[in-house]
Amino acid sequence: MSRTPDTQPSPEAAEVASLVRQTLGGDSAAFEGVMLRFERRVVRLATKLLGTPEDVQDAAQEVFLRAYKYLHRLDLERPIEPWLMRMTINVCRNIGRKRQRRWSTFTDSEPATAPATGKSCDPHAGVVEEQEREMLHKVLRSLPEKERLAITLRDIEGLSTPEVAAILETSESTVRSHISRGRVHMKDAIDAMMGGRK
């Protein structure tokens, strides 16, 4: 079948495919170009799924080690990003399982993080922000895995429903269903938490 203009890869996709081909041809330095393009996205997704900086760093390293190792399996006619996002999810699942015992032992302990406030004059503003962020993380962690992944990718990462479906290897209607149920569960959990506080 002849390729129509609609199926032409974008300039970025063509450039990434070229870097992948160079890597497969023995130019390992070309893989750094692939990493530089997608590192931020991988780290951001891992942060949403894992939370702690140490786990996120481990996950990002593992993702790119695996990507390098299995690059020969990549279909260059398709975009690389869903493949990398799927790999990130799998790596985060593995790390999450390894940390499971620690999480269940220290359910209520929070990771010690330095305040992420810049030059805020109001010391309470950062505290409130941090509490809201923690509440969101706690609620997300309480969701069933499929709902958590769908909401993280769609609502937090801002991917389209077709992109989420490709990454999770499921149908768009299933993604919509997970998101819809997840949002209801999140609202109920937040209402319960807020009601418990006041």
Side-chain angles (χ1 to χ4, degrees), residues 43-113:
V43 166
R44 215 168 55 219
L45 178 56
T47 301
K48 301 291 186 301
L49 297 178
L50 293 171
T52 65
E54 304 78 32
D55 286 350
V56 169
Q57 196 174 7
D58 289 349
Q61 286 176 352
E62 179 65 21
V63 166
F64 286 110
L65 279 171
R66 283 194 194 185
Y68 186 74
K69 183 178 178 181
Y70 297 114
L71 206 57
H72 62 282
R73 295 184 183 175
L74 185 63
D75 179 357
L76 292 178
E77 295 300 310
R78 296 174 149 200
I80 189 175
E81 193 167 14
W83 183 72
L84 272 178
M85 295 297 100
R86 202 156 42 240
M87 198 174 282
T88 304
I89 288 168
N90 290 335
V91 166
C92 289
R93 276 177 178 154
N94 292 342
I95 289 175
R97 274 194 279 268
K98 285 179 195 168
R99 305 286 192 266
Q100 195 76 30
R101 274 176 241 120
R102 271 182 227 172
W103 273 112
S104 55
T105 309
F106 304 107
T107 330
D108 295 322
S109 71
E110 305 298 342
T113 51

Side-chain angles (χ1 to χ4, degrees), residues 181-196:
R181 279 204 304 271
R183 285 173 180 164
V184 170
H185 290 153
M186 284 185 77
K187 183 184 181 305
D188 290 347
I190 289 170
D191 286 349
M193 285 169 121
M194 297 301 279

Side-chain angles (χ1 to χ4, degrees), residues 126-198:
V127 173
V128 171
E129 244 175 68
E130 188 59 39
Q131 284 175 341
E132 286 173 356
R133 218 178 358 254
E134 263 316 312
M135 189 193 298
L136 180 63
H137 283 316
K138 198 174 269 190
V139 169
L140 267 173
R141 283 199 300 265
S142 73
L143 293 178
E145 186 183 61
K146 289 177 180 175
E147 292 176 15
R148 185 171 73 247
L149 288 172
I151 283 184
T152 298
L153 293 168
R154 181 73 182 85
D155 291 349
I156 300 176
E157 283 298 296
L159 299 178
S160 68
T161 301
E163 285 173 323
V164 176
I167 290 169
L168 298 180
E169 296 180 308
T170 189
S171 68
E172 291 179 34
S173 60
T174 301
V175 168
R176 286 191 202 97
S177 171
H178 288 325
I179 290 169
S180 177
R181 279 204 304 271
R183 285 173 180 164
V184 170
H185 290 153
M186 284 185 77
K187 183 184 181 305
D188 290 347
I190 289 170
D191 286 349
M193 285 169 121
M194 297 301 279
R197 284 183 180 182
K198 299 208 169 173

